[in-house]
Amino acid sequence: IDDFSMQQASSEALKRFITACKAGGSFGLGCEYRESAYSLLKVGIHSKKEGVRKEYLHLLSHLFLEFPVEYEGMSVLCDQDQEQDFFKNVTHLQLHRRVRAVNKVGTLMAEGRIGQDAVVDVIVPVLMGFICDDAGASQGGTASNLVDKCIEGLGEASKRVEWPTLRGMLGRFLRILKGKGQQSKSIMRAVSSTMRFFEEHEEEGQEVEAMQVDGETAGADARQFSEPLGYVYRVLLPYLSALFYQDRDPPSYLVAVLAQVLRVMPENLTRIELPQLIQRMSSRLKNDLGQSRINTREAICALLDVTGPAYLSSVLNSIDSSLMNRGVQGYIKCYSVYYVLKNVEGKLRRGEVDEHLDAFFTVFRVDLFGDVARDRQERKDSEKLFAKTFKEGQRCFSLSAFEVIAGLVDAEESLQHLLDFVEEGFTVEKRRMRMCERLLECVARGILSSSKVDHQFLLVLFYGIMDDLNAAILEREAKLEAFKDGLGISTRATLAENEGDDQEQRDFLVLEVKAGFALTVLWKLIKGGSLGEGLSKEDYLKLLDPWTGLLAPVLRSRKASLVVLALKCLNRLYMLPLGTNGELAPKVSKEALTILRRNPKLSDPAAQECLKLLTILLKHYERYSPTQTQLNFLIRLVSPDIEKTENQNGLFSFLKAVISRGIVLPSVYDLMDKVSAVVLSSGSDSTRRTAGQVFLMYLLDYPMNDNRRKHHLEFVVKNSDFAHEAGRLSMLELVSLVVKKFPEEIIADLAEMFLFPLVLRVCNEDSRQCCAFASDALVSLLARSRDDFNKKARGLAMGWLKVDKMALKAAGCQLLLHLHKSEKLGPRGTETEVLASLVEELKLSVEEDAQATPKFLEFALRAADVMLGEVGSKAKADCQAILGISQSLLLVPNAAIKGLSATLLRTALGALPSALSDLARFQGLFRAVVDQMQAEISFEFGEALSSLVRALLGAFDLRSIEAAEEDVQGADLPLSVTGTGSEEDSLKDYLFALKRVISLAAGNTTKGRPATAEQQGTALRVLLTFAETLPEDKVAGYLAAFMVPAFHMSESKRPAPLEVQEASEALVKRLDDVAGSEAVASAFNKARTFVQGRRKDRRQSKAVLKMVDPEQAARNKVTRNLKRKVSRKRQKDKGVFKKKRRQFARE
């Protein structure tokens, strides 16, 4: 019945009936009624209407809960937790709850916790209902995860049902397929899933006798099968075969279902039908439509997913026989093989592809060496390439397939088979040689990508290849010597031109190509460290020990790429402590020098590797001692390239090795002049840094006289003021290292040479990095100099302070500061003398006619702060003077000077708190600090100001100020302050500054524009400092005034920045802790009344002014509009205006 109310009433009545069956009751209902109810309910869940199925499932759930013992195999589906109950979840509106229910059923069936009755009566109908749903089946497939899970669950259920149930399921699926007139992907997949029934009934197929297949139709009589197989053979297989053969482009899921059905049939039938199916699909690759070929390849892959790799050779042979070896079909054939291999790659275990190699090689010969390869080369030469729409002809896909195969084969069984295939296609033609090299490169990548290759087997195989190559090289050299003795000709090329044995030439070239492959893999394995996995260090070294002697003869090969690989391997081997390395070092170095003489350009890879090898020998093998002639040759070789950016690491590593050996060579001295130029002028940071390390190593370790060393150091010092920052930074870094690492005697003798350039740098340097290196070098220089030199430097600095030139004054401040950092300023008490001089100079600098420069003020303030921190309260008079100086310098329009002034003032207050006992001095300093908050400030300067206020409040006794709440009309703050024993107006500056702080904390400035986040946050931290510093009995008078910012922030429509919110919350929390939450809440209400009253007064005054003096009111309005215009322009320049407009648009 479609009436929802009738459904609900009926459902409720049946629930009561089931409950009555359990209780017995006055009706005398018994077991037969319960079974009758169960029989009727399980029929209802087969309904096509989802709403009806839902009600029947709820009733079944109620029945199982009421009778858990009678339905033990079904009650496991129920649960008191609705999140875990199958019936609640499977009927839930949300899709993920239904998926959860199906997943639970699959798990329970796999564990065997659900009885067969529950599977047949409940699980199968529910799953069939979702799969056979009209919406799901009519789409030709589904994107719903629910249907996918239902199909998986149906396969698990099929293993636990009897044949009549499965027959009913298959019959329903076939009726749906035939009724709709189209293939439904979900129904097809469900049919394939039900074939898992035969996994549990394989013995039935074993009873069938072998069929006669001697040329007649494959089966003849279905009576030879058991009933399930007979139904599949007689009904299901013909229907699916008809669909396949009727469709010119069958979908992949249909092929997968057909293959799955064939798999359950007897093996002799499968061996006939599956190859026919494969051949039929392969023939469709001839189709001219690209999409049709794509669908066919997907169908073939779907079939292999079902059958596994057993039929891979059959697929390859069918593709090969169906398509021609030339033209477009040749390209399609090769690409199709690659596509199939790529799709089954992840499903094949190691070694499973070995038995199919011959089938692959049949296709590869055509693509790599046959008609397709020739056609591809002709098209490339004539530039008649295929259009991009013909994907199969874009490149040689067999190379990629070969790489995949190399990663899948069992190397011990089939690697030699791959090498034999390459050798089979090898000829002395250049293109063919290059193709074979590329094939072996693919094999190498495939081997390296596999994690299951036996590395010891590879080393044995490679050893044999290299041994054969060395024997061939020695044989050719012997022939060359004999040829030279006979004809007097000394070129290797002459021998090659006169060789008549083509087969011998081919065999030698094959060996070189195979050796290149072996060395590539060996180098990658050693470089990656995977060769020693699972081996102890001793076994690993024993494994590699013979390879040094095996690779040395390869350096005499004529093949450049092979020589480069051999050198790379030797470079890795000589980094290991192998026993044969030292013995063979002279022989190997001789061959490397021969290669360098033959290729004297370091741009050549072989020359680079030779230089790297010789560097390793010089650095790690003391037994290797090259002659001066050889070293001079190497120095001349690297000298032209020292200023180039290519291969700089190799060049500088070689120079470090030569310098570390300490071998005196005139050419090294000349070369170092070029190295010093590289340190200064190279455009690469890493090159300058590495060249600087080489030059420093040369200065420290290489033998040289004092004049030469001084010449080099003068060059470094002279260029410490180089025009470009990068070169200047390199030189200053080098100066710093020289001053730190040279012996103290040398530094003490050359101190004057370093002092003045470094002082000049720290005074005039704009770059922060350069200034840091110069400062570090100057501190190290003064720390390592003699006491008499430092005394002279201090006297010089004090003298510079007294002169009129500001540049010298600044230099004196910096020199005094660095003398203090190096702890060489002088005996105890010198700091007091220096501080007095600095304070005197600062006093003069704040006079109206003084010409003090910002640099002098900055350096003097920094030096005074450091000296005052050392002297402390001993400099009482200086502290008093510093208060006035700092107060004056806070007004200087320079952020750095303001910040240093605030720091110095805080230090003075910390050193002598009694200096602030005067109320007038406190008010003046407090107002000066607050005035700095009116302009735009940085976060760092705001922190300095708030710290300064904390120091001010800590040094002054706030008990001398009485504060009280004031409710006077027109007052600027709900606050009045009085000084104990003083006039009321004596606290005018204090009250004025406090008003400005509260205004800034509320988000307003006196300049008619909103306060920035830095200003507001600083003001709130100042108020927090007040709340933390004030005695608890004095806080009550300030509460209402301090709550004004909190009220402004609470009523603001826009959220304040996070740091401002945190500062406001900290202030309110502190007031809560001190005064109590009730007092704070009362103060908040008073602040709100005060602010609203001020707003009302302003509105009234404007209205009165319009009536009394309209002209003045109009002028005021024009002034306000001009201010707004200026504010908007400023915001627009900052990009704030557009951001706000977008925000309003979103709101």
Side-chain angles (χ1 to χ4, degrees):
I1 300 175
D2 294 333
D3 191 327
F4 180 72
S5 60
M6 288 291 291
Q7 286 183 359
Q8 292 296 314
S10 301
S11 178
E12 187 64 29
L14 284 170
K15 285 182 180 179
R16 293 179 180 178
F17 175 80
I18 292 170
T19 305
C21 288
K22 178 181 180 182
S26 58
F27 298 100
L29 301 175
C31 177
E32 63 273 11
Y33 292 102
R34 171 176 54 80
E35 291 296 333
S36 299
Y38 174 66
S39 301
L40 293 173
L41 291 177
K42 70 180 184 180
V43 173
I45 61 176
H46 289 273
S47 175
K48 295 183 178 180
K49 296 180 180 180
E50 185 177 357
V52 176
R53 293 201 303 267
K54 178 178 178 180
E55 292 299 329
Y56 276 103
L57 286 170
H58 285 170
L59 290 170
L60 279 173
S61 174
H62 184 70
L63 177 65
F64 296 157
L65 287 173
E66 292 293 338
F67 298 96
V69 178
E70 289 80 357
Y71 300 102
E72 183 179 359
M74 304 177 185
S75 59
V76 70
L77 298 173
C78 304
D79 201 298
Q80 295 296 335
D81 184 4
Q82 293 190 3
E83 294 287 333
Q84 302 297 326
D85 186 89
F86 167 75
F87 295 98
K88 293 291 190 297
N89 283 329
V90 85
T91 57
H92 202 277
L93 183 63
Q94 294 178 337
L95 183 62
H96 71 90
R97 294 283 293 273
R98 300 186 184 188
V99 173
R100 183 188 303 170
V102 176
N103 284 335
K104 179 179 179 180
V105 164
T107 303
L108 292 175
M109 285 192 294
E111 295 174 355
R113 297 171 57 188
I114 300 181
Q116 187 177 17
D117 292 341
V119 173
V120 175
D121 295 341
V122 180
I123 304 302
V124 170
V126 170
L127 299 179
M128 293 280 288
F130 286 125
I131 296 172
C132 298
D133 181 68
D134 291 337
S138 62
Q139 293 174 358
T142 178
S144 170
N145 190 30
L146 174 61
V147 176
D148 294 340
K149 295 297 182 182
C150 287
I151 292 173
E152 293 178 10
L154 190 64
E156 190 67 32
S158 299
K159 297 163 61 176
R160 289 162 175 78
V161 300
E162 298 298 332
W163 166 243
T165 305
L166 179 65
R167 180 170 181 171
M169 295 162 56
L170 292 174
R172 185 175 178 185
F173 288 147
L174 290 177
R175 287 194 300 273
I176 293 174
L177 290 172
K178 294 176 181 179
K180 291 187 174 296
Q182 59 180 355
Q183 295 99 22
S184 168
K185 184 176 181 180
S186 57
I187 300 297
M188 286 289 187
R189 291 172 56 212
V191 172
S192 178
S193 181
T194 57
M195 294 297 104
R196 296 182 67 182
F197 167 85
F198 295 97
E199 294 179 8
E200 298 295 327
H201 301 80
E202 290 182 358
E203 64 277 1
E204 297 181 8
Q206 302 298 330
E207 298 175 359
V208 182
E209 295 293 334
M211 298 175 58
Q212 300 297 326
V213 289
D214 53 352
E216 299 182 359
T217 183
D221 194 359
R223 287 178 297 178
Q224 297 177 0
F225 298 110
S226 62
E227 184 179 357
L229 288 178
Y231 178 84
V232 172
Y233 181 75
R234 185 176 62 253
V235 178
L236 187 58
L237 186 58
Y239 176 74
L240 295 175
S241 300
L243 291 178
F244 174 78
Y245 289 108
Q246 289 171 7
D247 195 342
R248 298 184 59 187
D249 194 10
S252 58
Y253 60 83
L254 174 59
V255 176
V257 174
L258 191 55
Q260 185 67 40
V261 171
L262 286 172
R263 281 193 67 196
V264 306
M265 301 302 293
E267 185 179 356
N268 48 9
L269 180 63
T270 303
R271 285 201 302 264
I272 296 174
E273 294 293 338
L274 270 178
Q276 291 180 1
L277 179 63
I278 293 170
Q279 187 65 41
R280 176 76 176 185
M281 286 189 295
S282 301
S283 63
R284 288 175 178 169
L285 289 172
K286 299 177 182 178
N287 199 317
D288 293 336
L289 296 177
Q291 187 60 45
S292 176
R293 296 195 299 272
I294 292 173
N295 295 339
T296 301
R297 282 189 282 265
E298 291 177 353
I300 293 173
C301 294
L303 183 142
L304 288 174
D305 289 343
V306 175
T307 63
Y311 284 88
L312 182 57
S313 291
S314 180
V315 169
L316 298 175
N317 293 330
S318 297
I319 293 175
D320 182 44
S321 61
S322 299
L323 299 171
M324 293 189 298
N325 291 337
R326 60 179 64 133
V328 171
Q329 289 190 16
Y331 290 98
I332 295 173
K333 174 195 293 188
C334 302
Y335 176 77
S336 299
V337 170
Y338 165 73
Y339 185 91
V340 169
L341 177 63
K342 199 65 180 173
N343 276 272
V344 301
E345 176 186 6
K347 307 175 185 68
L348 293 174
R349 294 191 299 271
R350 177 173 176 261
E352 283 188 338
V353 77
D354 293 11
E355 59 183 295
H356 310 290
L357 286 180
D358 291 334
F360 278 110
F361 290 163
T362 303
V363 180
F364 290 164
R365 287 188 185 92
V366 177
D367 195 26
L368 299 171
F369 309 124
D371 294 335
V372 177
R374 285 191 292 271
D375 182 66
R376 184 184 294 111
Q377 188 60 46
E378 290 171 2
R379 288 178 177 276
K380 183 177 179 180
D381 294 339
S382 61
E383 297 183 356
K384 294 181 180 179
L385 303 178
F386 285 111
K388 291 184 178 180
T389 54
F390 183 55
K391 185 177 181 179
E392 291 93 332
Q394 295 303 309
R395 63 184 179 89
C396 181
F397 291 96
S398 294
L399 290 171
S400 302
F402 210 74
E403 180 179 339
V404 174
I405 289 175
L408 293 174
V409 297
D410 185 351
E412 299 180 20
E413 299 293 334
S414 301
L415 180 56
Q416 187 61 49
H417 197 182
L418 297 178
L419 298 180
D420 292 342
F421 171 76
V422 176
E423 185 174 354
E424 177 188 340
F426 186 88
T427 63
V428 295
E429 184 185 358
K430 288 186 177 180
R431 289 177 180 173
R432 183 66 67 85
M433 288 174 60
R434 180 56 189 151
M435 177 58 71
C436 292
E437 289 176 352
R438 291 177 66 187
L439 276 173
L440 290 179
E441 289 172 4
C442 293
V443 175
R445 286 195 295 269
I447 291 175
L448 294 171
S449 65
S450 177
S451 59
K452 299 180 180 180
V453 179
D454 185 357
H455 294 155
Q456 295 189 27
F457 163 77
L458 290 179
L459 286 181
V460 172
L461 177 64
F462 296 163
Y463 192 97
I465 294 174
M466 301 308 301
D467 194 36
D468 293 343
L469 177 66
N470 290 339
I473 290 175
L474 292 175
E475 183 180 353
R476 290 173 67 86
E477 288 184 347
K479 288 185 178 181
L480 177 62
E481 292 298 328
F483 190 77
K484 286 165 57 178
D485 293 341
L487 298 178
I489 300 175
S490 60
T491 61
R492 295 173 180 242
T494 308
L495 175 62
E497 292 174 359
N498 291 274
E499 285 177 347
D501 192 353
D502 294 338
Q503 182 61 36
E504 183 179 350
Q505 176 74 359
R506 177 188 176 279
D507 294 342
F508 182 77
L509 293 176
V510 167
L511 275 176
E512 286 188 329
V513 172
K514 290 166 68 175
F517 154 72
L519 293 181
T520 300
V521 177
L522 178 65
W523 175 58
K524 292 286 186 181
L525 291 176
I526 298 176
K527 181 181 179 182
S530 59
L531 192 59
E533 292 179 357
L535 297 175
S536 64
K537 185 176 181 181
E538 293 76 11
D539 293 339
Y540 178 59
L541 296 178
K542 288 180 181 179
L543 196 65
L544 293 177
D545 192 64
W547 279 91
T548 304
L550 198 63
L551 292 173
V554 183
L555 300 181
R556 299 197 296 269
S557 174
R558 290 181 297 173
K559 191 174 179 63
S561 60
L562 189 61
V563 172
V564 172
L565 287 171
L567 287 168
K568 286 183 176 181
C569 294
L570 284 170
N571 288 334
R572 291 287 172 178
L573 292 175
Y574 268 95
M575 294 297 292
L576 300 173
L578 301 179
T580 58
N581 283 353
E583 300 174 5
L584 294 172
K587 179 180 178 181
V588 171
S589 64
K590 181 179 178 181
E591 295 295 341
L593 288 168
T594 303
I595 295 171
L596 285 174
R597 289 190 178 93
R598 196 164 58 237
N599 303 305
K601 292 184 179 180
L602 288 180
S603 58
D604 184 71
Q608 295 175 9
E609 296 299 328
C610 285
L611 186 64
K612 188 182 297 184
L613 178 59
L614 293 172
T615 301
I616 295 172
L617 293 175
L618 283 170
K619 189 174 182 180
H620 298 287
Y621 292 88
E622 295 181 358
R623 294 175 58 184
Y624 170 64
S625 55
T627 64
Q628 286 200 356
T629 304
Q630 292 173 339
L631 287 176
N632 283 325
F633 164 73
L634 293 174
I635 295 296
R636 289 195 303 272
L637 179 70
V638 303
S639 181
D641 295 341
I642 201 70
E643 296 177 354
K644 298 179 181 179
T645 57
E646 296 83 7
N647 195 33
Q648 289 285 4
N649 290 333
L651 294 177
F652 289 136
S653 298
F654 170 72
L655 292 178
K656 286 181 181 179
V658 172
I659 293 170
S660 65
R661 279 296 185 97
I663 304 174
V664 179
L665 294 171
S667 54
V668 173
Y669 297 112
D670 299 334
L671 184 62
M672 284 302 126
D673 292 333
K674 290 186 177 182
V675 174
S676 61
V678 172
V679 178
L680 182 65
S681 58
S682 176
S684 171
D685 293 340
S686 60
T687 300
R688 289 196 309 273
R689 189 176 299 109
T690 308
Q693 294 172 0
V694 173
F695 193 62
L696 177 65
M697 187 177 179
Y698 162 73
L699 292 175
L700 289 172
D701 300 335
Y702 205 69
M704 66 180 75
N705 56 35
D706 294 340
N707 290 334
R708 186 182 293 276
R709 182 182 295 107
K710 186 176 181 181
H711 166 72
H712 287 306
L713 293 177
E714 285 177 348
F715 171 82
V716 174
V717 173
K718 178 181 177 182
N719 287 284
S720 60
D721 61 348
F722 191 63
H724 298 287
E725 180 184 345
R728 194 165 65 249
L729 178 64
S730 299
M731 286 296 161
L732 288 171
E733 184 179 2
L734 189 56
V735 169
S736 178
L737 293 172
V738 166
V739 171
K740 289 179 180 179
K741 295 187 176 183
F742 261 61
E744 287 193 10
E745 296 78 10
I746 298 177
I747 295 299
D749 294 339
L750 300 176
E752 292 185 3
M753 183 180 71
F754 288 104
L755 178 65
F756 295 102
L758 289 176
V759 173
L760 186 65
R761 275 299 92 212
V762 296
C763 291
N764 300 323
E765 186 56 65
D766 296 327
S767 169
R768 183 172 297 180
Q769 280 186 303
C770 293
C771 187
F773 276 115
S775 177
D776 185 44
L778 183 55
V779 170
S780 300
L781 175 68
L782 295 172
R784 305 187 71 192
S785 299
R786 301 187 183 95
D787 292 338
D788 57 343
F789 176 80
N790 290 327
K791 184 177 180 181
K792 290 180 182 179
R794 183 178 69 251
L796 187 63
M798 296 295 288
W800 284 348
L801 279 179
K802 305 299 182 182
V803 300
D804 295 334
K805 292 184 178 180
M806 287 296 166
L808 287 177
K809 287 179 179 290
C813 294
Q814 283 287 55
L815 184 52
L816 288 171
L817 182 61
H818 284 80
L819 280 168
H820 177 269
K821 289 181 179 179
S822 63
E823 301 180 354
K824 293 296 183 73
L825 185 60
R828 181 176 297 181
T830 307
E831 289 85 356
T832 305
E833 178 187 351
V834 172
L835 178 62
S837 300
L838 289 171
V839 170
E840 185 65 28
E841 293 300 323
L842 285 171
K843 280 183 182 178
L844 297 174
S845 66
V846 297
E847 296 178 356
E848 293 184 1
D849 57 346
Q851 301 295 324
T853 61
K855 280 192 176 182
F856 165 68
L857 292 175
E858 182 181 342
F859 299 156
L861 287 171
R862 188 176 285 115
D865 181 58
V866 172
M867 300 302 167
L868 183 59
E870 289 290 330
V871 175
S873 59
K874 298 177 183 178
K876 183 176 181 180
D878 293 330
C879 287
Q880 293 287 352
I882 285 173
L883 295 182
I885 293 169
S886 300
Q887 185 175 353
S888 301
L889 291 178
L890 282 173
L891 304 176
V892 175
N894 185 294
I897 295 175
K898 286 184 178 182
L900 290 171
S901 300
T903 304
L904 179 60
L905 182 56
R906 186 173 68 249
T907 305
L909 293 173
L912 191 66
S914 60
L916 205 63
S917 59
D918 183 18
L919 178 62
R921 172 62 65 87
F922 167 71
Q923 288 190 89
L925 287 174
F926 182 52
R927 179 165 179 176
V929 172
V930 173
D931 286 342
Q932 303 309 310
M933 297 163 56
Q934 296 298 314
E936 293 189 6
I937 59 177
S938 64
F939 178 79
E940 292 78 10
F941 187 48
E943 288 282 348
L945 291 177
S946 59
S947 300
L948 180 55
V949 171
R950 182 177 294 276
L952 284 171
L953 298 180
F956 183 74
D957 186 9
L958 290 175
R959 286 188 174 86
S960 61
I961 300 175
E962 294 289 343
E965 293 182 2
E966 185 177 50
D967 189 9
V968 180
Q969 186 174 3
D972 292 332
L973 280 177
L975 174 69
S976 63
V977 293
T978 57
T980 57
S982 303
E983 298 293 333
E984 291 186 4
D985 60 351
S986 63
L987 291 171
K988 185 179 4 179
D989 287 342
Y990 174 73
L991 188 62
F992 180 79
L994 199 57
K995 172 192 169 184
R996 284 195 167 184
V997 172
I998 293 173
S999 177
L1000 284 170
N1004 302 312
T1005 64
T1006 58
K1007 298 183 179 181
R1009 61 173 181 264
T1012 63
E1014 290 79 8
Q1015 289 175 308
Q1016 193 172 2
T1018 302
L1020 285 168
R1021 287 192 293 273
V1022 169
L1023 294 181
L1024 177 61
T1025 303
F1026 264 95
E1028 293 174 345
T1029 309
L1030 283 169
E1032 293 186 4
D1033 57 336
K1034 300 288 186 181
V1035 173
Y1038 292 91
L1039 273 180
F1042 284 2
M1043 293 307 295
V1044 169
F1047 169 70
H1048 277 281
M1049 292 180 63
S1050 66
E1051 71 165 1
S1052 177
K1053 295 181 180 179
R1054 298 175 188 171
L1058 181 60
E1059 61 271 15
V1060 175
Q1061 293 180 16
E1062 291 176 350
S1064 176
E1065 291 171 0
L1067 174 62
V1068 174
K1069 184 178 183 301
R1070 174 60 184 173
L1071 294 176
D1072 278 341
D1073 295 340
V1074 175
S1077 57
E1078 293 184 2
V1080 172
S1082 176
F1084 183 84
N1085 292 330
K1086 292 177 182 178
R1088 177 174 57 195
T1089 303
F1090 171 77
V1091 173
Q1092 291 174 349
R1094 288 293 305 272
R1095 290 173 181 171
K1096 183 178 179 180
D1097 292 344
R1098 284 197 297 269
R1099 287 195 298 269
Q1100 288 179 352
S1101 62
K1102 286 182 181 180
V1104 170
L1105 185 62
K1106 284 183 181 179
M1107 296 173 61
V1108 176
D1109 192 354
E1111 294 182 357
Q1112 183 62 37
R1115 285 194 294 271
N1116 292 346
K1117 184 176 181 180
V1118 170
T1119 303
R1120 287 196 302 272
N1121 289 337
L1122 288 175
K1123 288 182 178 179
R1124 289 172 183 167
K1125 182 178 180 180
V1126 172
S1127 178
R1128 288 194 188 102
K1129 185 177 184 304
R1130 183 170 56 251
Q1131 289 179 335
K1132 187 176 180 180
D1133 293 340
K1134 292 182 179 180
V1136 178
F1137 183 77
K1138 293 182 180 179
K1139 187 186 298 182
K1140 288 182 178 179
R1141 187 167 60 189
R1142 288 195 296 269
Q1143 183 178 350
F1144 292 150
R1146 287 195 297 269
E1147 293 176 355

